[in-house]
């Protein structure tokens, strides 16, 4: 016992590092916090593409359903900028970027020319709902109502896609990002003016 205490005293920094690593390994909120610090640097951010005739494509129609069973189809959203975010409650990178998604939503929720499709992909829908309630997020809770076109989502969480007013993909980003930066707001403003 005394040898163990002596070893701990000599190697206290190693013990702390191991404890932190265990915490990060088992706690999704701790992982999300670390990832949030990483995305705040701007290294993971994505950029909305400039409008060109040949570079953007219109993906196949995709529909989502809200908690009341109301269905929204992307083909019905022409004339609006559409922010689509695929996420799951168990996904630490999703948790890391969610505060920035909420800030973006808060800023543009009343803009009639912008629509948010925040699509939960949890196996058990209740887990996504509980996560939003626990964190007090007010983004729309939506689930897929049709198969998801591969042009929008290829299996990596989180994935964010932005469609311009013509329905063309102007941004497709797999992985976490910070959507609450002024530079991103400027890009959204430009899309809204097109």
């Amino acid at each position: 016992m005394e040898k163990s205490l002596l070893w701990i005293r000599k190697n206290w920094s190693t013990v702390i590092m191991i404890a932190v690593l265990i915490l990060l390994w088992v706690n999704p909120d701790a992982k999300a916090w670390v990832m949030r610090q990483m995305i705040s640097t701007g290294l993971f951010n994505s950029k909305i593409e400039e409008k060109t005739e040949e570079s953007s494509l219109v993906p196949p129609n995709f529909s989502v359903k809200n908690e009341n069973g109301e269905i929204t189809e992307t083909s019905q959203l022409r004339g609006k900028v559409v922010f689509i975010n695929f996420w799951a409650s168990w996904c630490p990178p999703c948790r890391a970027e969610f505060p920035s998604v909420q800030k973006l939503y808060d800023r543009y929720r009343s803009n009639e020319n912008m629509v948010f499709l925040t699509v939960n992909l949890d196996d058990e829908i209740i887990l996504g709902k509980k996560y939003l309630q626990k964190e007090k997020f007010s983004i729309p809770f939506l689930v897929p109502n049709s198969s998801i076109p591969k042009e929008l989502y290829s299996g990596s969480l989180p994935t964010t896609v932005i469609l311009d007013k013509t329905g063309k993909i102007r941004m497709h980003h797999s992985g976490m990002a910070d959507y609450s930066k002024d530079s991103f707001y400027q890009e959204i403003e430009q899309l809204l003016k097109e």
Side-chain angles (χ1 to χ4, degrees), residues 134-145:
K134 176 184 157 235
E135 298 298 326
K136 297 180 174 56
F137 291 131
S138 62
I139 61 152
F141 182 81
L142 304 166
V143 294
N145 188 56

Side-chain angles (χ1 to χ4, degrees), residues 67 87 89 95 98 102 120 125-141:
E67 296 177 77
W87 66 280
S89 65
R95 289 175 176 228
F98 240 68
Q102 180 66 49
N120 179 260
I125 293 173
I126 191 69
L127 297 175
K129 287 182 184 180
K130 284 183 178 180
Y131 173 71
L132 292 182
Q133 289 169 348
K134 176 184 157 235
E135 298 298 326
K136 297 180 174 56
F137 291 131
S138 62
I139 61 152
F141 182 81

Side-chain angles (χ1 to χ4, degrees), residues 29 32-33 35-37 39-40 83 85 87 91-107 116 131-132 135-139 176-181 185:
D29 289 328
W33 182 85
M35 290 176 177
R36 197 168 301 123
Q37 304 319 302
I39 64 174
S40 70
F83 179 91
N85 181 266
W87 66 280
C91 163
C94 301
R95 289 175 176 228
E97 76 174 8
F98 240 68
S100 74
V101 173
Q102 180 66 49
K103 285 180 185 174
L104 179 68
Y105 176 70
D106 289 343
R107 184 173 180 129
F116 288 83
Y131 173 71
L132 292 182
E135 298 298 326
K136 297 180 174 56
F137 291 131
S138 62
I139 61 152
M176 61 187 179
D178 185 347
Y179 299 107
S180 64
K181 299 272 187 197
Y185 293 155

Side-chain angles (χ1 to χ4, degrees), residues 62-141:
F62 169 58
S63 66
V64 293
K65 182 171 42 173
N66 70 12
E67 296 177 77
N68 300 324
E70 297 165 346
I71 296 172
T72 301
E73 297 191 16
T74 56
S75 63
Q76 298 170 333
L77 300 175
R78 297 296 184 326
K80 298 179 186 299
V81 173
V82 183
F83 179 91
I84 306 171
N85 181 266
F86 297 97
W87 66 280
S89 65
W90 52 264
C91 163
C94 301
R95 289 175 176 228
E97 76 174 8
F98 240 68
S100 74
V101 173
Q102 180 66 49
K103 285 180 185 174
L104 179 68
Y105 176 70
D106 289 343
R107 184 173 180 129
Y108 290 100
R109 73 188 321 161
S110 60
N111 188 318
E112 61 188 30
N113 293 314
M114 188 155 179
V115 175
F116 288 83
L117 303 180
T118 45
V119 185
N120 179 260
L121 298 179
D122 276 302
D123 290 334
E124 296 180 43
I125 293 173
I126 191 69
L127 297 175
K129 287 182 184 180
K130 284 183 178 180
Y131 173 71
L132 292 182
Q133 289 169 348
K134 176 184 157 235
E135 298 298 326
K136 297 180 174 56
F137 291 131
S138 62
I139 61 152
F141 182 81

